[in-house]
Amino acid sequence: MKVLVVGNGGREHALAWKLLQSKQIEQVVCAPGNGGTAGIKGCQNLPLAVDDFEGISQFALHEGISLILVGPEVPLAKGITDYLNSKGLKVFGPTRAGAQIEASKAWAKALMQEAGIPTAQAAVFTEAAAAKSYVKAQGAPIVVKADGLAAGKGVIVAETVEQAQAAIDAMFGGEFGSAGKFVVIEECLTGEEVSVLALTDGLTIRPLQPAQDHKRIGEGDTGENTGGMGAYAPAPIATKEVMARIQKEVLEKAIAALKAKGIDYRGVLYAGLMMTPKGDFKVLEFNCRFGDPETQVVLPLLETPLEELILACVEQRLAQMPPIAWKQGAAVTVVTASGGYPGAYEKGKVITGIEQAEALGTTVFHAGTNLNQEQLLTDGGRVLNVTAVGENFDQALAQAYAGIQCIHFEGMYYRRDIGHRVR
């Protein structure tokens, strides 16, 4: 099989890496890919933008691509699956209608309320004055979210009413572009977050190992939200009993609700949940694709060939698949970021030491890199995901951080406390 992976981040590098471990996969093409995917044996980069639907479809048809995996949410929200399906291509990723579950927080919230899925109390606003008076009445802490896609940064956890009102002004003032046309204001839930990525063919839904992501830029989970500074799996807080409840009370209800709306959802449904100290949970958000950086810790633990699961979803026969097989142990990834991220940062810094890090047994997934005449350069806010698998978390964390010591680029930043909840 030849597979095309759409995207250019750490998630897409991990998908390509995992697919190429299978004897069934002859070649993986990444559009546009990055400096890491350029260097994998059996993988090539295709210089096409993720929203160049016509270019992607022409290439896939011409080259006999058997399967297309869409990594990022933006092309899904723009309807890449609808377009490629209309050309007779097999695509793993929901249609535009299904992708609304991530592309509009207000739409997702309404779906959860209709389906009886446990979630935070919320209200949706179209103008600042009403949103501000609601915040005043509710008090703080409170959560202010841009309705649309904002690259993981459109969520402000406001500790004070003033902070919340400043966030409302920023969103309606265009800081997140069209993502801030609607604003969702939610009660602030406390506890531990867990990410459950599930595969579905629209009828059956199966969760992968639960992961925990570190969203905040600063150590001790402080500072601004980012796209994710590190992750680990399996998250111990999501016990077997908790996962059985999530399956029944969240995943199956969501798929049934989508189906009731006439949406044929084939792809990843990712539930971000808050676990309360009492062991209950509420859904914070749904995403319509593999998580990043959660994918980078879930896939190294997966034993079942990835393409078998993906094809079963695309061909709507997931129910016939045997249970998903997992390796024993734990996986950890630590993100190295450009100085200044998640604010303004510079690109084009020379990266060294990846080979030495991998010689220690880590796998380095590239998130924001570019290969320029054999020289590897930084090309994003999140640059690398240094990943390790061990018999336990201590072992995996020690290995990942030993790997990071080998790597260098100007302004490199990483959190030294990834996995602090399981240490």
Side-chain angles (χ1 to χ4, degrees):
M1 282 175 64
K2 285 184 182 178
V3 183
L4 192 146
V5 175
V6 175
N8 65 344
R11 162 186 51 215
E12 289 77 26
H13 187 175
L15 288 165
W17 168 85
K18 190 67 186 177
L19 288 165
L20 284 163
Q21 288 175 4
S22 166
K23 292 187 174 73
Q24 305 305 312
I25 304 294
E26 181 192 330
Q27 189 189 26
V28 173
V29 177
C30 290
N34 60 33
T37 54
I40 315 182
K41 191 174 177 243
C43 187
Q44 75 170 78
N45 285 352
L46 178 68
L48 290 178
V50 297
D51 58 358
D52 182 356
F53 300 171
E54 194 184 338
I56 289 168
S57 98
Q58 282 175 355
F59 177 86
L61 291 165
H62 187 262
E63 295 296 323
I65 296 288
S66 322
L67 178 64
I68 298 171
L69 260 78
V70 185
E73 61 276 16
V74 172
L76 291 166
K78 287 184 173 180
I80 189 170
T81 299
D82 312 65
Y83 184 91
L84 298 174
N85 280 342
S86 76
K87 304 289 181 192
L89 291 159
K90 282 185 182 175
V91 188
F92 179 78
T95 58
R96 185 176 191 158
Q100 286 178 96
I101 205 157
E102 178 169 2
S104 169
K105 292 184 177 71
W107 190 89
K109 189 57 81 172
L111 182 97
M112 287 186 247
Q113 285 160 348
E114 285 162 27
I117 292 169
T119 186
Q121 188 190 332
V124 181
F125 297 91
T126 53
E127 49 100 29
K132 286 179 169 180
S133 37
Y134 179 81
V135 163
K136 220 170 181 177
Q138 296 295 319
I142 198 159
V143 182
V144 184
K145 296 180 171 182
D147 176 62
L149 299 176
K153 296 175 202 150
V155 177
I156 310 293
V157 180
E159 302 295 339
T160 65
V161 168
E162 291 72 30
Q163 259 184 325
Q165 296 192 334
I168 290 164
D169 283 335
M171 286 177 193
F172 283 120
E175 189 174 318
F176 298 104
S178 61
K181 274 200 288 200
F182 295 91
V183 168
V184 179
I185 298 181
E186 270 184 7
E187 68 172 310
C188 186
L189 301 175
T190 53
E192 279 193 54
E193 284 189 46
V194 65
S195 303
V196 177
L197 281 56
L199 304 179
T200 181
D201 61 1
L203 304 173
T204 302
I205 186 161
R206 294 204 185 170
L208 302 176
Q209 291 276 32
Q212 196 168 64
D213 176 21
H214 295 262
K215 274 270 179 272
R216 302 292 191 93
I217 188 71
E219 284 165 16
D221 298 319
T222 57
E224 288 178 86
N225 264 339
T226 70
M229 292 304 295
Y232 57 86
I237 193 166
T239 60
K240 271 198 176 122
E241 295 72 28
V242 166
M243 287 300 287
R245 283 186 59 204
I246 290 170
Q247 174 73 15
K248 210 163 130 192
E249 295 170 39
V250 177
L251 302 177
E252 286 174 6
K253 280 184 176 181
I255 285 301
L258 288 161
K259 204 173 160 214
K261 285 185 182 292
I263 294 170
D264 181 358
Y265 192 107
R266 304 184 198 193
V268 174
L269 183 66
Y270 158 156
L273 303 116
M274 182 67 84
M275 304 283 305
T276 69
K278 288 182 186 165
D280 285 322
F281 51 79
K282 286 187 177 179
V283 176
L284 295 170
E285 62 176 0
F286 280 118
N287 293 323
C288 64
R289 37 74 197 180
F290 280 108
D292 187 346
E294 294 94 337
T295 302
Q296 292 87 301
V297 289
V298 171
L299 292 186
L301 296 172
L302 178 66
E303 285 233 295
T304 304
L306 178 62
E307 82 283 356
E308 288 181 14
L309 293 167
I310 301 281
L311 274 173
C313 289
V314 173
E315 295 167 0
Q316 216 158 45
R317 50 180 179 79
L318 188 59
Q320 284 105 66
M321 288 290 288
I324 299 174
W326 296 97
K327 294 173 185 160
Q328 291 299 307
V332 171
T333 192
V334 182
V335 171
T336 67
S338 295
Y341 176 79
Y345 56 84
E346 292 178 4
K347 296 181 181 182
K349 306 294 183 191
V350 176
I351 304 167
T352 57
I354 290 176
E355 280 177 16
Q356 292 89 321
E358 292 195 321
L360 295 177
T362 67
T363 303
V364 180
F365 296 121
H366 295 229
T369 69
N370 178 17
L371 203 56
N372 188 355
Q373 297 173 343
E374 301 301 303
Q375 198 167 50
L376 191 66
L377 305 173
T378 67
D379 194 40
R382 293 184 297 166
V383 179
L384 300 168
N385 309 133
V386 182
T387 308
V389 176
E391 281 174 33
N392 52 44
F393 283 114
D394 286 340
Q395 210 180 51
L397 284 158
Q399 196 171 27
Y401 278 107
I404 278 195
Q405 299 311 310
C406 303
I407 294 168
H408 179 77
F409 57 85
E410 190 190 319
M412 179 171 111
Y413 169 78
Y414 61 92
R415 277 183 56 173
R416 290 164 301 187
D417 67 342
I418 298 303
H420 63 84
R421 292 178 193 277
V422 290
R423 277 181 162 158

